[in-house]
Amino acid sequence: MHKKNIPSGNNESEIGALLESLPDAFFIIDTEGMVLNANTLFASLLDRSPQECCGENISDLLSDVIPFPELATHFMQKARDVFHTGERLTIEDERDAFRVILNPVRSEETTVTTLLVSIENISRQKHVEDQLEKERALKTALLEAMPGCAIILNAEGKLMVWNQYAHDIIFGKTGDIKESVDPIETICADQIFPIKKKFLNILHSGAEDSSEVKICPPGSPGSLWLATRGRRVIIDGETCVVAVGVDISRQKQLEEDLVESKMRFSYALDAAHSGIWEWDIETDYLSWSEQVWALYGLQVDSVPLNNQLCVDTIHPEDRELASWLIKEAVKNQSPATIEYRVCHPDGSIHWLTSRGMPLYNEEGKVIRYIGTIIDITERKQIELELLENKSRLNQALEAARAGVWEWDLHTNENIWSDEIWPLYGLPKDDRKPSFKLWTDTILPEDLEMATSSVTDAAKHCTEINIQYRVILPDGSTRWLMSRGKPVCDMNGKITRYIGTTIDITESKQIEIALSQSKTRLNQALEATNAGIWEWNVKVDQVFWSDRVWALYGMEPDSMKSSHKLCETNVHPEDRDFTFQTVMHAALKESEINVEYRVCHKDGSTHWLMCRGMPLREKDGDVSCYIGTVIDVTERKNTDLALAESESKFRSIFDHAPVSIGIWDLQDGRLINVNAAWLQLFGFTRQEAIEHPVTDHSLYVDIDEWKQIVSILKNHGRLFNRPVQLRKKNGERLNVLYSGEFINLKDRSILLVMMTDVTLQELQQQSINQLEKAVAERTGQLQLEIERLERFISMVSHEYRTPLAIIRGNLDLIEVKNQSGKRLIKTEINKIHRAIDRLVEVMEVSMRESRMIEAQGTLETNYVAIAPLIYSQIASFKSMWPDVDIRFSERLDESKVFGEPSQLKLAIYNIVDNARKYSAPGTPVAVDCLKEADEVVISIRNRGTTITREESETLFNKYQRGRNSMNTSGAGLGLWLVKKIIEQHNGTVTLRGFPSGVEVTVRLPVAGDAVFNTSDGNKQEPI
């Protein structure tokens, strides 16, 4: 050891200061055992001062110390061994209370002249290590001369004295001593400033300081923790700081492990719904972990913790038993285990189990209990459910006519429950259950199957599952199902079967009926021209019966079976709606119900109705859809005819000259009346409908009215009965009264028709003329429509061909006449404009014709507006690729309710108008957004503006603007646009601005939208 480590001679005060700074008892002896120096800790063990110890023989001093009687006997022998060998020696007493370390101190001649002896109280350290980790052995190497780092620093923080331990930390184990080394540099960076501050505080104030410092020794890959103690001393008149440090790295690691272990333990308690308690029997002190408070439904420390609290929280019915069990456990000094209920403040009841283990003192007496409390509410509920289930099982076996049996394979012994005997039609007598007794009851047709199934199962160690018939004593036949599972011994060998036998006669009858029903279903499907389909939504696989393929006009398995198969051959106008309806139902996991048209290869169109129901798995998820496809072409044709008939009835009802009223006899009110009725009696429609018929005083003779009602109720109808009635103003009139009961929405109502006799002939003539005029006009309109269709077809075919020839020849003329003569170019341009005009007139005529034709057959649906507009812009660009269309939309998948082809025509016309009247090279802007409950479409161009008057008149039929001189058109485009948009409950406006014109279309967002049909009726969304 370096000479500065253990100074001598003139450094006596430094040695004393160093010894005083050490945390344990230290003293120095010579070869004769004479004490040369000692610190206060050592002297205090002898009830002396350090000065009184110096000069005394250590053997004499130790012999007087009660805690160390053994040291006096062999200490000097151990000391002589150290002087002789020069090796350090450690002595520990058997009680692990103290550790004595003899450190040899060599002179300059390398001979051992003195011993530095330390007495360390290790009882606390041993106790902590035993509590935290008993299995760990003490691995920390004993310090050499000093069990830790010891240094003396001057006021500048420079090293004055250090030991070997400090040398290894500051200079490294192989490093050279450098006077200029700053020991602060070995401290970890995050602690340097606080340590410097503490050093200055010790130096200036004289206050002692104890700290934990993290050190990074040079050349060492890791760091270590030191528990340091520093104090100010005066050495040779100079203020210094003595600091010692003990390696506590292991202790810090143990503390971290303890914190982590405590945290994991706390998590485990929380996860297990358990807590820890401790009860000191002698002091009656009780402590709970946080989890125990929660188990009792209380906030931590919300009430005083004592035994009374435990009593108050236990269910009244469990208090006496719990108290008795605890007293018995304490009396017998045995573990305590109890289960009881507690009442939470919210009124809920919870089951807890408490297990406590006794802890004994040295005399073997129980001084306290420590244990756990676990919430077993769920387990208790399961136990109660098991008991209830067992009871229900017995009841279920009895109710289900089922029994339990057991078959021992080694002894061939059979055991039957009481319920088995009546199932086989056998009385329970002295006969023992046997295989033969069982087979005697089986119907001969099933005997071989049943016996072979049982023997094969026993041979191959598989489950028994058979269904067979038995004959009862009364001659009746019953179906039974026997199921059994093999039971193995500890070696895995099957020793017996245990199972049940159930009467399944009813289910078998249902199964047979189901099979028959299935046969009838197949026959019904064939008779109704229907097919079956199935769609596995998880793997997107579709199955069609052969009939479904035929309904779609396709060969079986001619296409890949996915959900897109359903789009095949669907009419283009129905395809989007059908696909969206099916996918929407699949997304919502709801029923599929859609009707649509399909186009066969032969050109025929058929109406199909597709219906499907979702099938759910046990977890509630939809696994597939199953349904039918039915040809409803005839029904759809009937519906159209019925709708036409209803329309005619409405027209006749509203415009008939005969007074017609619809009357509900149950509430005595009129449901509806026509204009002739109102005109005849002088009432308003509101007056006629709001009040009962009797309030109108229509009948002059009430008895006659009662007679009419009686005739109608008895015979159901009445024709041309002369009746005298009264108008609103009191004027009387004679009418021919006719009435008949009809069904309206499953209700029986009275249809009444009244004719003023004075005008009977005139009215009859008017009716005849009206019917004739209607028939003639209908025929004329039909002929006009047919002629118009033929004309348009002729125009489409006959006009286009010669016009194309003319245009082609004009192109040749242009090529041949490149001379630049103005006259020829002007004439050619005139011809071009004339041809364009003819084409425009033809296109507009065709559009108007299509619109008129479509009004009677509109198929309305929910329409995604953004894709529709985009498709029209794409179509427009394909025809006019040089036109710059700038499209933007913020519609958020908005939909409108209407007819897609009509909406497409309107959008296309507006964009085409914007192109026609745009300045060359300028863009057309199309902006779409959603405002409140409306879709707003704005289309702007740059060109000649329009006036406010023009913006109001340009929507008129055949109206063209003042800037249309050099553009083709018939003045029908904007008129068609307005008709279409208003038919969709929307608005369209024109607005001129300095650099052009803007068209704004507003359509209601799909929701409660109503579509205006061509006959003025309102059509609700499907």
Side-chain angles (χ1 to χ4, degrees):
M1 190 175 290
H2 195 272
K3 64 182 180 178
K4 285 190 177 183
N5 292 36
I6 308 296
S8 60
N10 295 333
N11 295 329
E12 204 61 40
S13 60
E14 295 180 356
I15 295 174
L18 184 59
L19 292 179
E20 286 297 332
S21 65
L22 295 176
D24 297 315
F26 278 84
F27 62 91
I28 300 175
I29 61 173
D30 60 10
T31 57
E32 301 298 328
M34 194 67 64
V35 177
L36 302 178
N37 208 333
N39 63 3
T40 303
L41 291 176
F42 173 76
S44 64
L45 296 175
L46 308 176
D47 293 332
R48 300 188 181 190
S49 65
Q51 292 76 15
E52 292 174 343
C53 294
C54 294
E56 296 289 337
N57 189 283
I58 188 63
S59 180
D60 296 337
L61 292 175
L62 294 179
S63 62
D64 296 334
V65 180
I66 293 177
F68 310 112
E70 63 275 14
L71 294 181
T73 59
H74 63 275
F75 176 78
M76 288 308 300
Q77 179 60 43
K78 297 296 182 180
R80 284 192 290 272
D81 291 344
V82 175
F83 277 116
H84 177 71
T85 62
E87 296 181 358
R88 185 174 66 175
L89 181 65
T90 301
I91 304 172
E92 292 188 7
D93 67 335
E94 296 180 353
R95 294 171 299 174
D96 289 337
F98 293 92
R99 181 189 293 126
V100 180
I101 302 175
L102 288 74
N103 300 284
V105 180
R106 302 180 185 276
S107 63
E108 294 181 355
E109 291 80 13
T110 69
T111 58
V112 179
T113 58
T114 58
L115 295 181
L116 175 64
V117 182
S118 66
I119 301 176
E120 181 182 356
N121 187 342
I122 63 173
S123 60
R124 183 176 179 183
Q125 177 183 352
K126 286 287 187 178
H127 177 70
V128 172
E129 292 180 354
D130 289 343
Q131 289 294 324
L132 296 178
E133 194 174 354
K134 292 182 179 180
E135 73 273 11
R136 290 189 183 182
L138 181 62
K139 295 180 181 179
T140 306
L142 299 176
L143 301 176
E144 293 181 356
M146 300 275 300
C149 171
I151 60 174
I152 299 177
L153 302 174
N154 60 17
E156 297 178 355
K158 301 299 182 181
L159 285 171
M160 296 176 61
V161 179
W162 59 90
N163 65 354
Q164 184 62 40
Y165 196 97
H167 173 276
D168 294 343
I169 292 176
I170 298 173
F171 304 106
K173 293 185 177 180
T174 59
D176 298 329
I177 299 173
K178 299 179 182 179
E179 299 290 342
S180 60
V181 171
D182 186 354
I184 297 296
E185 295 178 355
T186 62
I187 299 174
C188 291
D190 58 341
Q191 292 188 324
I192 290 178
F193 179 75
I195 295 300
K196 283 185 177 181
K197 187 176 180 180
K198 289 182 178 182
F199 171 76
L200 295 175
N201 184 53
I202 295 172
L203 192 66
H204 296 148
S205 67
E208 292 189 8
D209 179 78
S210 296
S211 303
E212 293 182 354
V213 183
K214 190 175 183 181
I215 303 297
C216 299
S220 175
S223 59
L224 56 89
W225 281 91
L226 296 179
T228 63
R229 182 181 179 188
R231 62 184 295 183
R232 185 177 67 183
V233 298
I234 305 298
I235 301 177
D236 297 334
E238 183 178 357
T239 303
C240 303
V241 174
V242 177
V244 294
V246 179
D247 189 347
I248 60 169
S249 300
R250 181 180 177 80
Q251 179 180 344
K252 292 291 285 186
Q253 183 61 44
L254 289 174
E255 290 177 358
E256 293 177 1
D257 292 345
L258 178 60
V259 170
E260 183 178 356
S261 176
K262 183 178 180 181
M263 181 175 63
R264 287 199 299 268
F265 186 62
S266 178
Y267 288 159
L269 290 175
D270 291 337
H273 296 286
S274 61
I276 299 175
W277 58 268
E278 187 172 352
W279 176 34
D280 192 315
I281 297 177
E282 296 179 350
T283 63
D284 200 25
Y285 174 76
L286 184 65
S287 65
W288 285 354
S289 67
E290 294 181 1
Q291 292 84 359
V292 175
W293 287 92
L295 292 175
Y296 280 87
L298 300 172
Q299 296 293 330
V300 178
D301 298 328
S302 59
V303 293
L305 180 58
N306 50 44
N307 285 325
Q308 186 61 39
L309 177 63
C310 298
V311 173
D312 293 341
T313 54
I314 294 178
H315 195 281
E317 297 177 2
D318 299 344
R319 289 175 187 170
E320 184 176 353
L321 177 61
S323 177
W324 181 82
L325 289 174
I326 293 174
K327 290 178 181 178
E328 285 296 309
V330 174
K331 178 181 177 181
N332 299 325
Q333 297 191 5
S334 61
T337 300
I338 58 175
E339 292 183 358
Y340 54 95
R341 291 166 291 176
V342 294
C343 303
H344 283 201
D346 60 3
S348 60
I349 297 176
H350 300 259
W351 276 93
L352 303 180
T353 179
S354 177
R355 294 186 177 90
M357 296 298 297
L359 299 180
Y360 305 90
N361 59 10
E362 296 178 354
E363 291 79 19
K365 180 182 178 182
V366 175
I367 56 174
R368 58 195 176 100
Y369 275 83
I370 186 169
T372 60
I373 294 178
I374 303 174
D375 190 324
I376 60 170
T377 305
E378 292 184 3
R379 193 199 76 192
K380 278 293 185 179
Q381 291 174 346
I382 292 173
E383 290 177 357
L384 293 175
E385 289 177 1
L386 286 176
L387 292 175
E388 186 177 354
N389 289 339
K390 184 177 180 181
S391 175
R392 285 201 297 265
L393 175 60
N394 293 332
Q395 296 174 359
L397 287 174
E398 183 178 357
R401 300 190 63 192
V404 180
W405 55 266
E406 189 173 346
W407 175 29
D408 191 313
L409 297 180
H410 296 304
T411 64
N412 204 29
E413 181 182 2
N414 286 265
I415 300 173
W416 291 354
S417 68
D418 293 343
E419 296 82 5
I420 288 285
W421 295 87
L423 294 177
Y424 293 123
L426 300 173
K428 192 174 186 305
D429 49 26
D430 296 336
R431 288 180 295 180
K432 289 186 177 181
S434 65
F435 190 81
K436 184 177 184 308
L437 184 60
W438 171 64
T439 57
D440 288 344
T441 64
I442 300 176
L443 193 70
E445 291 89 340
D446 299 345
L447 180 60
E448 182 179 356
M449 176 276 298
T451 55
S452 61
S453 297
V454 172
T455 53
D456 288 346
K459 180 179 179 181
H460 297 94
C461 303
T462 59
E463 292 186 5
I464 296 174
N465 189 350
I466 56 173
Q467 297 180 7
Y468 52 95
R469 289 168 290 177
V470 295
I471 305 175
L472 300 186
D474 61 2
S476 62
T477 302
R478 305 291 293 181
W479 275 93
L480 300 181
M481 179 178 70
S482 292
R483 300 190 65 178
K485 292 184 68 69
V487 180
C488 302
D489 58 15
M490 297 181 62
N491 299 323
K493 185 177 180 181
I494 295 178
T495 59
R496 58 197 173 100
Y497 273 85
I498 187 169
T500 60
T501 297
I502 304 175
D503 189 328
I504 60 170
T505 304
E506 287 76 10
S507 63
K508 268 296 186 180
Q509 292 172 348
I510 293 173
E511 182 180 335
I512 294 171
L514 181 62
S515 177
Q516 295 173 351
S517 176
K518 184 177 179 180
T519 301
R520 288 194 297 269
L521 174 62
N522 292 333
Q523 294 173 350
L525 289 173
E526 184 176 354
T528 57
N529 199 16
I532 297 176
W533 59 268
E534 185 175 348
W535 175 26
N536 189 323
V537 296
K538 291 189 174 182
V539 299
D540 192 21
Q541 187 172 6
V542 175
F543 163 77
W544 279 1
S545 66
D546 292 344
R547 188 56 197 159
V548 175
W549 290 97
L551 292 175
Y552 275 79
M554 301 169 62
E555 293 295 328
D557 301 322
S558 58
M559 291 190 64
K560 184 179 179 182
S561 59
S562 68
H563 73 277
K564 293 186 177 180
L565 180 62
C566 301
E567 296 180 297
T568 310
N569 288 359
V570 176
H571 196 285
E573 296 178 0
D574 298 347
R575 186 174 295 131
D576 292 343
F577 165 73
T578 305
F579 182 77
Q580 292 172 7
T581 302
V582 172
M583 298 310 296
H584 180 76
L587 181 64
K588 298 294 184 180
E589 298 183 350
S590 60
E591 179 182 350
I592 295 173
N593 190 352
V594 62
E595 295 182 358
Y596 50 93
R597 292 167 294 176
V598 293
C599 302
H600 286 197
K601 292 182 179 179
D602 60 3
S604 61
T605 301
H606 301 261
W607 274 97
L608 300 182
M609 179 179 69
C610 176
R611 297 197 65 178
M613 296 295 295
L615 299 183
R616 300 182 182 274
E617 297 178 342
K618 292 182 179 179
D619 57 4
D621 292 340
V622 172
S623 60
C624 67
Y625 274 81
I626 187 168
T628 59
V629 175
I630 303 175
D631 190 322
V632 293
T633 305
E634 293 183 4
R635 194 205 75 193
K636 292 298 285 187
N637 292 336
T638 302
D639 290 345
L640 292 175
L642 180 61
E644 183 179 357
S645 175
E646 290 177 352
S647 176
K648 290 180 179 179
F649 173 78
R650 167 58 61 180
S651 178
I652 294 172
F653 179 83
D654 290 337
H655 302 96
V658 180
S659 301
I660 303 175
I662 302 176
W663 178 34
D664 188 347
L665 285 179
Q666 293 181 0
D667 60 9
R669 297 177 184 272
L670 288 167
I671 298 174
N672 200 357
V673 294
N674 66 354
W677 193 98
L678 297 175
Q679 183 179 2
L680 179 63
F681 291 101
F683 289 97
T684 64
R685 186 177 299 275
Q686 184 176 3
E687 291 173 341
I689 294 175
E690 284 187 351
H691 303 284
V693 175
T694 55
D695 292 351
H696 299 323
S697 300
L698 297 179
Y699 295 89
V700 175
D701 187 352
I702 298 299
D703 293 335
E704 185 177 19
W705 158 242
K706 293 179 181 179
Q707 186 179 5
I708 291 174
V709 173
S710 176
I711 294 173
L712 288 169
K713 288 182 177 180
N714 293 330
H715 301 284
R717 63 179 62 187
L718 178 67
F719 293 103
N720 293 334
R721 180 186 176 95
V723 178
Q724 191 174 40
L725 301 178
R726 183 186 294 113
K727 293 185 178 181
K728 179 181 178 183
N729 59 8
E731 180 183 347
R732 297 186 180 188
L733 68 161
N734 295 320
V735 299
L736 291 178
Y737 191 102
S738 298
E740 183 175 357
F741 282 104
I742 63 174
N743 288 324
L744 180 63
K745 296 181 179 180
D746 298 329
R747 293 174 59 191
S748 180
I749 62 173
L750 182 62
L751 178 65
V752 177
M753 293 180 290
M754 292 173 287
T755 305
D756 191 341
V757 176
T758 56
L759 301 176
Q760 181 178 6
E761 294 181 359
L762 180 61
Q763 289 178 350
Q764 185 61 43
Q765 183 179 0
S766 299
I767 292 172
N768 294 336
Q769 292 177 352
L770 178 61
E771 290 179 349
K772 182 178 180 181
V774 169
E776 292 177 354
R777 184 56 180 162
T778 302
Q780 292 173 358
L781 290 175
Q782 185 63 36
L783 292 175
E784 288 294 331
I785 291 173
E786 293 176 358
R787 285 197 297 271
L788 181 60
E789 289 177 350
R790 290 195 297 271
F791 171 73
I792 291 173
S793 299
M794 180 272 292
V795 168
S796 178
H797 181 269
E798 300 295 336
Y799 276 25
R800 290 179 182 272
T801 302
L803 286 175
I805 296 172
I806 295 172
R807 189 186 295 274
N809 283 278
L810 285 174
D811 292 338
L812 292 175
I813 294 173
E814 288 178 340
V815 172
K816 294 179 179 180
N817 292 274
Q818 298 295 329
S819 60
K821 291 183 180 181
R822 182 62 181 174
L823 180 59
I824 295 176
K825 289 184 177 181
T826 300
E827 294 301 324
I828 290 175
N829 288 336
K830 288 181 180 179
I831 296 173
H832 270 300
R833 285 197 298 270
I835 294 173
D836 290 342
R837 173 61 175 167
L838 287 175
V839 172
E840 183 69 19
V841 170
M842 180 181 65
E843 293 292 339
V844 171
S845 299
M846 292 178 69
R847 291 179 190 174
E848 183 178 9
S849 174
R850 290 169 184 169
M851 180 177 176
I852 294 171
E853 180 182 356
Q855 284 180 351
T857 59
L858 285 179
E859 294 290 339
T860 56
N861 200 351
Y862 290 103
V863 181
I865 194 65
L868 183 143
I869 297 174
Y870 184 80
S871 67
Q872 291 308 103
I873 292 176
S875 176
F876 184 88
K877 289 288 290 183
S878 65
M879 183 173 292
W880 304 97
D882 296 331
V883 178
D884 183 7
I885 303 293
R886 298 182 181 179
F887 175 61
S888 66
E889 60 94 2
R890 299 183 299 281
L891 293 175
D892 300 328
E893 301 183 358
S894 298
K895 295 182 179 180
V896 299
F897 183 76
E899 206 285 321
S901 61
Q902 295 282 39
L903 291 172
K904 290 179 181 179
L905 177 60
I907 298 301
Y908 189 97
N909 276 356
I910 297 174
V911 176
D912 191 38
N913 265 17
R915 172 195 65 80
K916 291 178 182 178
Y917 300 107
S918 295
T922 60
V924 174
V926 181
D927 297 325
C928 306
L929 56 88
K930 180 181 178 184
E931 289 184 355
D933 295 328
E934 289 185 325
V935 170
V936 180
I937 307 167
S938 298
I939 303 175
R940 299 182 302 276
N941 71 345
R942 297 180 185 176
T944 305
T945 186
I946 62 175
T947 65
R948 179 178 298 179
E949 291 75 12
E950 286 181 308
S951 66
E952 296 177 354
T953 60
L954 285 177
F955 287 106
N956 295 335
K957 196 172 184 181
Y958 307 119
Q959 182 68 37
R960 304 189 72 201
R962 54 185 171 82
N963 57 346
S964 60
M965 184 67 66
N966 296 320
T967 59
S968 61
L972 289 175
L974 290 179
W975 174 78
L976 286 173
V977 170
K978 185 175 183 181
K979 295 287 287 185
I980 292 171
I981 298 302
E982 287 180 348
Q983 196 174 43
H984 288 76
N985 295 320
T987 60
V988 58
T989 58
L990 276 170
R991 181 181 67 88
F993 57 93
S995 60
V997 179
E998 181 182 56
V999 179
T1000 302
V1001 176
R1002 293 179 178 270
L1003 293 170
V1005 175
D1008 296 329
V1010 178
F1011 187 80
N1012 292 321
T1013 60
S1014 60
D1015 58 1
N1017 293 330
K1018 304 293 184 178
Q1019 181 176 342
E1020 301 290 339
I1022 297 175

